[in-house]
Amino acid sequence: MDLQKLREKAIRVVRAKLRESVREDTLIVQTVSGIDELEKAANLLSKRLREWYELYNPETSRAISDHEMFAKSISSKSKKELLNELKIKDSMGAELKKEDTDAIMNLAEEVKSIFALKHSQEKYLEVSMKKTCPNVTAITGTQIGAKLISLAGSLERLSSFPASTVQLLGAEKALFRHLRNKRNLPPKYGILHEHTLLSKVSPRNKGKMARTLADKISIAAKVDYFKGKYIGKELSAQVEQKAKELR
Amino acid sequence: MDLQKLREKAIRVVRAKLRESVREDTLIVQTVSGIDELEKAANLLSKRLREWYELYNPETSRAISDHEMFAKSISSKSKKELLNELKIKDSMGAELKKEDTDAIMNLAEEVKSIFALKHSQEKYLEVSMKKTCPNVTAITGTQIGAKLISLAGSLERLSSFPASTVQLLGAEKALFRHLRNKRNLPPKYGILHEHTLLSKVSPRNKGKMARTLADKISIAAKVDYFKGKYIGKELSAQVEQKAKELR
């Protein structure tokens, strides 16, 4: 009987621990992957939408390359209006019945709604990032910061990494290719290649710039994880200064 | 000058030909692929939704295996109601703030809306199929019939195929594997394996049943393409008779 009680108590404790293990950064990891997948779904359905709509009005599909813009245009304007805008009198597209265009328009609505959700999730991510790790976000921006946490697995793990690991997060494939056969050069940066400052320095200094960024991100992650005060301003001033020196 | 006129006329003729080349079955091919891709998108986002929601309420996600049902349940009922239904008092999920559950619920709404669109496209496909090829649809049903047209490329091509080709549509990979090395047996059926009658006959008669189905589909496709009268009733009676004999 005592054993039974002990078992129940142990289960209660584990349940509580599991509940507590969900933190802000766990949600951030989910949101980042969610945004990625919304983008994938939107692209998949946009391609189908274009192929389908091109039977009806190929000229407009060719003229608008952005998927979201395209879905918005075709659902807000008629074929005639769209062709007038392009000054085309004799379209190559077929005339379709209303029920056939309706099916296409329903798909266009869905594509629009997926893009809209993606934007709202991005805003939610921005708010969470600023709250959970203001210092990292100050240096990297929302997207790259969130991806770093997602690649590391959690803010806790990111904060425990040395700067050299942070620098190569997202470049695992290139790194191990280098380690296997020494012919390939080691990678200089992983996900950090998306950072705007990297595009501002000269090609031969990109490695140095990535190292500086990783240094500061590593400091910022530690401060964020242990809920230190906000030093994002100083850190981002430092990396920008470095970017100017390395231009 | 005459050459200029001739050129303009030629372009006009080609434009008109292109416009006319879009037929009902072209739209069917698009719709079939569209439905496939909606399903892919719905599954992709459903998996994310579950992983995300399981931080909040893992028990409900485990209890409902159907993706659509799951999205509907969590967006119509609160966590408390859902746990009461399962008679669970002590959930392992964490308590989340309203803005965090809102982000999850938005994704659930999107998943629901993609499933709803998929159902409406399936209905549209059913109507188109019954109008464009009533005879083929009478034997195969909407889904398989539409996939056969999609695999053939058009109703015209499907009607020009011999029955043996119809039988193997969708089994091209297995067929060519057999032709390359004779060790593998030739496939007995392609997409037709999804037909309900095939599951009703004994395993050793499945090949025969597929051949009968393909025979009748091939006849039906020719009648449909040349706009003959409706003989779907006789044809489907014949295949059902055959299925009884081969049971």
Side-chain angles (χ1 to χ4, degrees):
Chain A
M1 197 59 197
D2 269 358
L3 214 64
Q4 178 74 16
K5 266 188 191 159
L6 187 67
R7 185 170 175 271
E8 273 167 22
K9 172 137 200 197
I11 290 178
R12 263 206 308 283
V13 170
V14 171
R15 283 226 171 95
K17 285 256 177 212
L18 274 174
R19 270 198 294 271
E20 279 159 27
S21 72
V22 176
R23 295 220 210 86
E24 284 276 338
D25 55 343
T26 326
L27 295 171
I28 287 173
V29 172
Q30 291 296 327
T31 316
V32 172
S33 317
I35 291 171
D36 265 3
E37 280 155 8
L38 284 170
E39 175 143 15
K40 252 186 227 160
N43 284 336
L44 181 72
L45 297 180
S46 291
K47 274 186 224 154
R48 173 60 45 202
L49 178 64
R50 278 176 186 274
E51 206 181 310
W52 202 347
Y53 185 79
E54 277 172 13
L55 301 171
Y56 178 57
N57 175 2
E59 290 83 359
T60 300
S61 173
R62 301 286 154 80
I64 307 173
S65 62
D66 182 68
H67 285 333
E68 192 179 3
M69 274 288 294
F70 171 70
K72 277 187 182 162
S73 308
I74 66 167
S75 63
S76 63
K77 289 173 198 160
S78 73
K79 178 178 177 180
K80 216 173 166 184
E81 286 171 314
L82 289 166
L83 288 176
N84 274 343
E85 276 177 17
L86 297 172
K87 297 194 180 91
I88 290 170
K89 273 177 200 158
D90 195 18
S91 165
M92 279 185 280
E95 282 310 315
L96 298 182
K97 286 189 221 101
K98 184 158 181 312
E99 63 255 39
D100 296 329
T101 53
D102 278 354
I104 303 178
M105 288 311 148
N106 288 340
L107 187 58
E109 287 301 323
E110 195 63 53
V111 169
K112 268 165 58 185
S113 128
I114 295 176
F115 274 116
L117 179 59
K118 183 177 161 246
H119 298 318
S120 96
Q121 301 275 32
E122 278 167 352
K123 265 184 210 142
Y124 163 71
L125 182 66
E126 203 178 324
V127 174
S128 307
M129 281 296 289
K130 279 198 180 136
K131 207 165 52 182
T132 318
C133 38
N135 290 308
V136 171
T137 312
I139 308 173
T140 60
T142 310
Q143 291 290 329
I144 299 177
K147 278 182 192 163
L148 283 172
I149 292 179
S150 173
L151 285 165
S154 67
L155 180 57
E156 182 180 2
R157 287 201 67 198
L158 183 66
S159 72
S160 74
F161 286 162
S164 54
T165 305
V166 174
Q167 188 181 342
L168 295 185
L169 275 177
E172 286 77 6
K173 220 172 148 185
L175 178 64
F176 287 112
R177 196 165 48 215
H178 162 69
L179 293 176
R180 263 201 317 278
N181 61 35
K182 293 279 174 187
R183 269 172 304 172
N184 295 80
L185 287 173
K188 297 197 190 83
Y189 32 76
I191 187 73
L192 284 180
H193 81 271
E194 291 176 13
H195 199 288
T196 44
L197 286 181
L198 263 195
S199 61
K200 285 188 184 156
V201 302
S202 66
R204 49 188 294 264
N205 284 332
K206 279 188 196 295
K208 274 185 194 165
M209 190 64 226
R211 200 167 63 215
T212 309
L213 277 171
D215 272 349
K216 303 304 176 193
I217 291 168
S218 175
I219 294 170
K222 287 171 183 58
V223 177
D224 283 335
Y225 179 64
F226 293 107
K227 310 270 179 208
K229 59 184 177 183
Y230 182 69
I231 54 165
K233 216 165 175 180
E234 291 86 327
L235 290 174
S236 66
Q238 284 167 3
V239 292
E240 264 159 44
Q241 178 58 33
K242 189 77 181 179
K244 264 181 210 154
E245 287 167 21
L246 294 175
R247 190 175 298 166
Chain B
M1 199 54 197
D2 268 356
L3 214 64
Q4 178 72 15
K5 267 186 192 160
L6 187 68
R7 183 170 178 276
E8 273 167 23
K9 173 138 199 199
I11 290 178
R12 263 206 307 284
V13 170
V14 171
R15 284 227 170 94
K17 286 255 176 214
L18 275 175
R19 270 199 294 272
E20 279 158 28
S21 72
V22 177
R23 297 218 210 87
E24 285 276 338
D25 56 342
T26 325
L27 295 171
I28 287 173
V29 172
Q30 291 296 326
T31 316
V32 173
S33 317
I35 291 171
D36 265 3
E37 282 155 6
L38 284 170
E39 175 144 15
K40 252 185 228 161
N43 284 336
L44 181 71
L45 297 179
S46 291
K47 273 186 226 153
R48 173 61 44 203
L49 177 64
R50 276 174 189 274
E51 205 179 312
W52 203 346
Y53 186 79
E54 277 172 13
L55 301 172
Y56 178 56
N57 174 2
E59 290 84 0
T60 300
S61 173
R62 300 287 154 80
I64 308 174
S65 64
D66 181 69
H67 285 333
E68 193 179 2
M69 272 290 292
F70 171 69
K72 277 184 182 163
S73 307
I74 66 166
S75 63
S76 64
K77 288 173 199 161
S78 74
K79 178 178 176 180
K80 218 173 165 184
E81 285 171 317
L82 289 166
L83 288 176
N84 273 343
E85 277 177 18
L86 297 173
K87 298 195 179 86
I88 292 170
K89 273 176 198 159
D90 195 19
S91 165
M92 278 186 280
E95 282 310 315
L96 297 182
K97 287 189 220 101
K98 184 159 182 310
E99 62 255 39
D100 297 328
T101 53
D102 278 353
I104 302 178
M105 288 309 148
N106 288 340
L107 186 58
E109 287 300 324
E110 196 63 53
V111 169
K112 268 166 59 186
S113 128
I114 295 176
F115 274 116
L117 179 59
K118 184 176 160 246
H119 297 319
S120 95
Q121 301 276 30
E122 278 166 353
K123 265 184 208 142
Y124 163 71
L125 181 65
E126 202 178 326
V127 174
S128 308
M129 281 296 289
K130 278 196 182 140
K131 208 164 52 183
T132 317
C133 37
N135 289 307
V136 171
T137 312
I139 307 173
T140 59
T142 310
Q143 292 291 327
I144 299 177
K147 276 182 194 163
L148 283 172
I149 294 179
S150 172
L151 285 166
S154 67
L155 181 57
E156 182 180 0
R157 287 200 67 198
L158 182 65
S159 72
S160 73
F161 285 162
S164 54
T165 305
V166 173
Q167 189 181 342
L168 295 185
L169 276 177
E172 286 77 6
K173 221 171 148 184
L175 177 64
F176 287 112
R177 197 166 48 214
H178 162 67
L179 293 177
R180 262 200 317 278
N181 60 36
K182 294 280 172 185
R183 270 171 305 173
N184 296 81
L185 286 174
K188 296 198 190 82
Y189 30 76
I191 187 74
L192 284 180
H193 81 273
E194 290 176 15
H195 199 289
T196 44
L197 286 181
L198 264 194
S199 62
K200 285 188 185 156
V201 301
S202 68
R204 50 188 292 264
N205 283 331
K206 280 189 195 293
K208 273 186 194 162
M209 190 64 226
R211 201 167 62 216
T212 310
L213 277 171
D215 271 349
K216 303 304 175 194
I217 292 169
S218 174
I219 295 170
K222 287 171 183 58
V223 176
D224 283 334
Y225 180 63
F226 293 108
K227 310 269 180 210
K229 59 186 177 182
Y230 183 69
I231 54 165
K233 218 167 175 180
E234 291 88 326
L235 290 173
S236 65
Q238 284 167 5
V239 293
E240 264 160 44
Q241 179 57 33
K242 190 76 180 177
K244 264 181 212 156
E245 286 168 22
L246 294 174
R247 190 177 296 165

